Amino acid sequence: MSTDRYVSPLSERYASKEMQYIFSPDMKFRTWRKLWIALAETEMELGLSQNGKPVITREQIDELKAHAEDINYDVAKAREKEVRHDVMSHVYAYGQQCPKAAGIIHLGATSCYVGDNTDIIVMREALKLVKKKLVNVIAELAKFADTYKNLPTLAFTHFQPAQPTTVGKRATLWAQEFCLDLEDLDYVLSTLKLLGSKGTTGTQASFLELFDGDQETIDKIDPMIAKKMGFEKCYPVSGQTYSRKVDTRAGIAASAHKMSNDIRLLQHLKEVEEPFEKSQIGSSAMAYKRNPMRSERIASLSRFVMVDALNPAITSATQWFERTLDDSANKRLSIPEAFLAIDGILDLCLNVVDGLVVYDKVITKRLMSELPFMATENIMMDAVKMGGNRQELHEKIRELSMIAGANVKREGKDNNLLELIAEDPAFNMSLEDLQKTMDPSKYVGRAPLQVEKFLQEIVNPILEENKDLLGVKAEINV
């Protein structure tokens, strides 16, 4: 690795080799050449000719195919310094390797034919990898939710103690957001189309000239190119580029950020903890620390993606008429980096969820310290059944709760609400009677059943449909 120039952390620390290849020069320029071959083949198959003589021959196509993979980068780089145009530099470099076909490379096309179509192809491959990892995150969360569906835990609203839930039910909230992201991703994949070859302003004027105004033949160009490149369709209309609206998305980052924040807070409470390796160092100064650094990294990268999503949105909104080039430099940064970051986020999510540690005794201790407050409605109803006045009992519980709360917060003592209620004759209940109501499972509502139904009705069908994608184990570099 070179140490005398900037290297992106996304490549060095976060993104997988698979995602890095998708956005590599090899992937990009080999796709350019495949597109040039598809165009030339289409023109040949549609009978492009001059004075009855074919303009493109099988020999030329074979020559292009022979050099589809071995990009002569040095020639292209030297040419670009001279002409300041990346596409024409690669047309020239390809022509140097294919002298017989040099004159028909890029025939009738504009730069966006290779640039935009390649962007679509690359994004589709990246989305497939994202989907694969997303499905595995959902699978890991499903296992976790099922394992802990019956473990009661204190819920929080406003990060204040609230009616209990279960550890597994909380995990279904994270999983549900990722399931929604998968729906969005599937929709994008199913509707993604190629730009096709529509010329400088999207009118296909160059093909009218090439095919002598034969409209029926020209109508076949885009469908044939799409099929050769593995797509069903091309966008029906465009300027020079595909709509930049296609580039906008950031839902997974929001879901990952939400989950990672919850885990960080739970780790502070010592209830749930992300994986911490034997030789891992939490702090350079405080040797005892076990910081949730992976969850923090998920949050950090997620914020980057959510902010980066403004780039495609603003780019889409500010395009002029049929084409403007102020999208190019921005897209070279914003699109690959968003995918590399999402890739890193999902690897971290897989790693964290797969290794989550649950401290059930800490969870139960905190829940039991607050449960007397949660149980007061049940206690009041039991006391009413034994002849008490509901309104009077409600006021007494309010007063006694204030006293118990003050003991906890001001005196640092344990919650003694049950003892205070037992001492009050209005309730006619012994401490033993009251303690029998302190079964946490009585206060989690339908949480365990909700987990079962969610897994059975929502998650399991997703996993069954995508079973060929399962089995991914994340590798993180740091």
Side-chain angles (χ1 to χ4, degrees), residues 199-226:
T200 57
T201 61
T203 66
Q204 293 187 303
S206 58
F207 293 104
L208 274 175
E209 182 67 25
L210 282 172
F211 287 96
D212 298 322
D214 186 343
Q215 302 282 5
E216 187 176 338
T217 297
I218 296 167
D219 281 341
K220 297 176 182 177
I221 293 173
D222 275 1
M224 289 176 70
I225 290 172

Side-chain angles (χ1 to χ4, degrees), residues 194-386:
L194 274 188
L195 168 66
S197 189
K198 295 182 175 66
T200 57
T201 61
T203 66
Q204 293 187 303
S206 58
F207 293 104
L208 274 175
E209 182 67 25
L210 282 172
F211 287 96
D212 298 322
D214 186 343
Q215 302 282 5
E216 187 176 338
T217 297
I218 296 167
D219 281 341
K220 297 176 182 177
I221 293 173
D222 275 1
M224 289 176 70
I225 290 172
K227 186 176 181 181
K228 290 177 185 294
M229 300 308 299
F231 283 74
E232 291 185 10
K233 295 179 180 179
C234 294
Y235 290 108
V237 294
S238 72
Q240 188 178 128
T241 70
Y242 66 80
S243 170
R244 295 308 184 226
K245 227 173 165 53
V246 174
D247 298 340
T248 307
R249 58 190 58 92
I252 293 171
S255 302
H257 197 293
K258 154 68 177 163
M259 182 182 76
S260 71
N261 271 0
D262 286 354
I263 292 171
R264 291 161 67 191
L265 292 169
L266 291 170
Q267 184 151 332
H268 166 75
L269 298 175
K270 297 180 174 61
E271 293 189 3
V272 175
E273 193 171 76
E274 71 173 36
F276 194 90
E277 293 163 19
K278 186 177 181 181
S279 58
Q280 184 175 326
I281 296 173
S283 168
S284 62
M286 296 167 279
Y288 63 88
K289 291 198 78 179
R290 294 167 69 97
N291 297 330
M293 61 89 171
R294 298 175 204 194
S295 296
E296 289 173 320
R297 192 181 304 153
I298 291 171
S300 184
L301 288 171
S302 295
R303 286 200 306 273
F304 170 81
V305 173
M306 287 186 281
V307 172
D308 184 54
L310 289 173
N311 278 302
I314 294 171
T315 296
S316 174
T318 55
Q319 293 300 286
W320 295 354
F321 301 110
E322 284 71 40
R323 173 67 163 136
T324 181
L325 197 59
D326 66 350
D327 61 341
S328 179
N330 188 289
K331 276 169 58 68
R332 289 174 193 259
L333 293 168
S334 61
I335 302 299
E337 291 191 349
F339 275 105
L340 292 175
I342 283 290
D343 183 67
I345 288 166
L346 289 173
D347 278 346
L348 286 164
C349 287
L350 273 172
N351 179 270
V352 168
V353 176
D354 182 46
L356 275 180
V357 180
V358 175
Y359 295 111
D360 57 332
K361 289 182 173 57
V362 176
I363 290 171
T364 301
K365 181 180 179 181
R366 176 167 287 105
L367 175 57
M368 296 307 293
S369 72
E370 298 286 349
L371 195 59
F373 294 122
M374 315 294 169
T376 52
E377 185 175 11
N378 285 10
I379 292 170
M380 182 176 65
M381 289 188 292
D382 289 342
V384 169
K385 288 177 183 178
M386 291 185 286

Side-chain angles (χ1 to χ4, degrees), residues 458-472:
I458 305 299
V459 175
N460 290 346
I462 288 173
L463 300 183
E464 176 62 27
E465 183 180 347
N466 296 283
K467 58 187 176 183
D468 292 343
L469 302 181
L470 296 173
V472 171

Side-chain angles (χ1 to χ4, degrees), residues 27 57 87:
M27 175 71 173
T57 66
V87 174

